[in-house]
Amino acid sequence: MLATVSKNIFLYASQNKGLNKAAKKWGLRFGASQVVAGETIESAIKKAQALNEKGMVCTMDHLGEFVSTRQEALEATDYNIRTLEAIARAGVNSNLSVKMTQLGLDIDRDFCVENMRQILETAKKHNNFVRIDMEDHAHCQVTLDILKELRQTFDNVGTVIQAYLYRAEQDVYELKGIPLRLVKGAYKESPEVAYQEKEEVDENYMKIIEQHLLSGSYTAIASHDHHIIAKVKDFAQENNIPRDQFEFQMLYGFRTEMQQGLVKEGYKMRVYIPFGNDWFGYFMRRLAERPQNIAFALRGFFSK
């Protein structure tokens, strides 16, 4: 009961614009610096270089979402393009993750698509890949519609499917052949559209992982759950799924020993590196996901 209450509080805070605005002035406080790789492209590049040296690959995410003006969206587009250019210059092994609300999706769909096209052109020039992060359920269908539109021109783009949504299995079926990151889901969604119980989410998560792997599609399993990871390893071995058809993904700053262990076992391990000053919503959702994360953050706060 207490865990549910705290989860709801953090999810509410993640969407509070006043708190988010204040957080930009605070800087990386309250343990956020442990899970956010600084506020600049340069700081994220350094973290990616260090992870590459340990045998891991990365994906960078310039934090920010739900922008309200065209100017903000254009600035975000430019920042993502500059991030791709910096990745290429530094020679780091890292993809890019983007949120389409940061690129103006809530302002004008066509405007957002044009911004995405510019980002994908830059990524294509550097032989890189862009992942469209999935946001709340209200943005799910339009995200998938835009993905299918972009895939007509670009093969270097994929998206994320959230296992807690009832629609996940059908979406994975329709996206056969497209590289997908599969996650449990981190937003607060209603019982009308999403499973509410952990057991149901976990069951659906394994179902869509197995479904996408068996279809021969490249699959990124984004989870810190060692039970899920063990099941994926067993399933891949039993079904002769080659290791170059999937990868594990985890968030920067979480379960670092497990990340290194997977590399030693010969699995591809990608670390999701969030950076930028618009970190508050991301950090609150991480605290909402697992009660253990709260203690983790407090340790970081009090160790300063």
Side-chain angles (χ1 to χ4, degrees):
M1 178 66 181
L2 183 60
T4 302
V5 171
S6 66
K7 178 178 180 178
N8 290 339
I9 289 170
F10 285 118
L11 287 174
Y12 169 78
S14 74
Q15 296 175 324
N16 186 294
K17 291 183 179 179
L19 288 173
N20 190 55
K21 187 176 180 180
K24 288 182 180 180
K25 296 178 182 177
W26 297 335
L28 292 169
R29 306 275 182 88
F30 311 113
S33 60
Q34 293 187 93
V35 298
V36 177
E39 299 190 8
T40 65
I41 296 173
E42 292 73 24
S43 61
I45 291 286
K46 287 179 182 177
K47 297 296 192 301
Q49 287 171 329
L51 289 164
N52 285 173
E53 288 170 6
K54 294 178 180 178
M56 302 173 207
V57 294
C58 304
T59 185
M60 292 187 196
D61 175 21
H62 176 232
L63 295 172
E65 53 200 287
F66 304 115
V67 304
S68 56
T69 70
R70 284 177 177 262
Q71 184 58 36
E72 287 178 306
L74 289 171
E75 288 172 1
T77 301
D78 178 66
Y79 206 93
N80 279 296
I81 288 170
R82 287 193 286 124
T83 300
L84 284 166
E85 299 281 8
I87 289 169
R89 278 197 309 274
V92 295
N93 190 332
S94 178
N95 297 159
L96 180 73
S97 292
V98 299
K99 285 185 170 62
M100 287 200 295
T101 56
Q102 188 190 44
L103 306 179
L105 181 58
D106 290 341
I107 300 168
D108 182 285
R109 182 190 186 280
D110 292 341
F111 169 65
C112 174
V113 171
E114 178 53 35
N115 290 335
M116 270 300 305
R117 287 185 183 280
Q118 290 183 48
I119 291 168
L120 289 171
E121 285 287 0
T122 304
K124 185 177 180 181
K125 181 175 71 173
H126 296 298
N127 195 30
N128 210 336
F129 179 85
V130 178
R131 179 85 60 188
I132 300 172
D133 279 340
M134 188 58 73
E135 303 181 63
D136 58 359
H137 179 264
H139 293 91
C140 183
Q141 188 60 54
V142 68
T143 297
L144 297 184
D145 290 344
I146 291 174
L147 172 71
K148 290 172 185 176
E149 182 180 333
L150 292 169
R151 289 282 304 183
Q152 293 175 13
T153 309
F154 300 96
D155 62 3
N156 61 330
V157 60
T159 193
V160 181
I161 297 297
Q162 299 163 317
Y164 64 2
L165 296 181
Y166 301 140
R167 61 177 293 169
E169 186 177 356
Q170 182 62 31
D171 287 337
V172 170
Y173 173 77
E174 293 179 6
L175 296 169
K176 177 183 175 181
I178 296 177
L180 297 177
R181 175 197 294 148
L182 303 180
V183 303
K184 293 185 183 182
Y187 292 85
K188 181 172 173 57
E189 302 289 2
S190 78
E192 294 179 4
V193 300
Y195 296 108
Q196 304 296 304
E197 299 301 322
K198 181 183 183 302
E199 293 76 14
E200 293 177 311
V201 176
D202 286 357
E203 182 181 349
N204 203 44
Y205 190 35
M206 277 308 303
K207 183 186 291 184
I208 64 173
I209 290 170
E210 293 171 4
Q211 176 187 349
H212 207 50
L213 286 171
L214 289 175
S215 75
S217 307
Y218 193 81
T219 308
I221 300 98
S223 176
H224 302 111
D225 186 334
H226 57 279
H227 298 295
I228 294 288
I229 290 168
K231 287 179 181 178
V232 171
K233 289 179 186 177
D234 290 343
F235 181 81
Q237 189 167 6
E238 290 163 8
N239 292 274
N240 297 314
I241 309 270
R243 289 193 181 185
D244 62 2
Q245 194 196 315
F246 67 97
E247 65 185 51
F248 293 107
Q249 295 189 355
M250 294 188 200
L251 301 172
Y252 172 76
F254 289 99
R255 308 211 76 168
T256 52
E257 289 183 8
M258 189 189 298
Q259 293 176 16
Q260 292 168 3
L262 287 166
V263 171
K264 288 176 183 175
E265 291 174 37
Y267 292 99
K268 189 172 185 178
M269 176 70 237
R270 188 176 302 277
V271 181
Y272 183 98
I273 301 180
F275 70 99
N277 69 348
D278 197 0
W279 55 269
F280 187 75
Y282 170 86
F283 186 48
M284 289 299 104
R285 287 194 295 276
R286 299 295 77 77
L287 295 184
E289 281 175 343
R290 300 169 73 239
Q292 300 96 312
N293 292 350
I294 301 170
F296 174 81
L298 287 174
R299 283 199 304 273
F301 177 60
F302 287 115
S303 66
K304 297 300 180 189

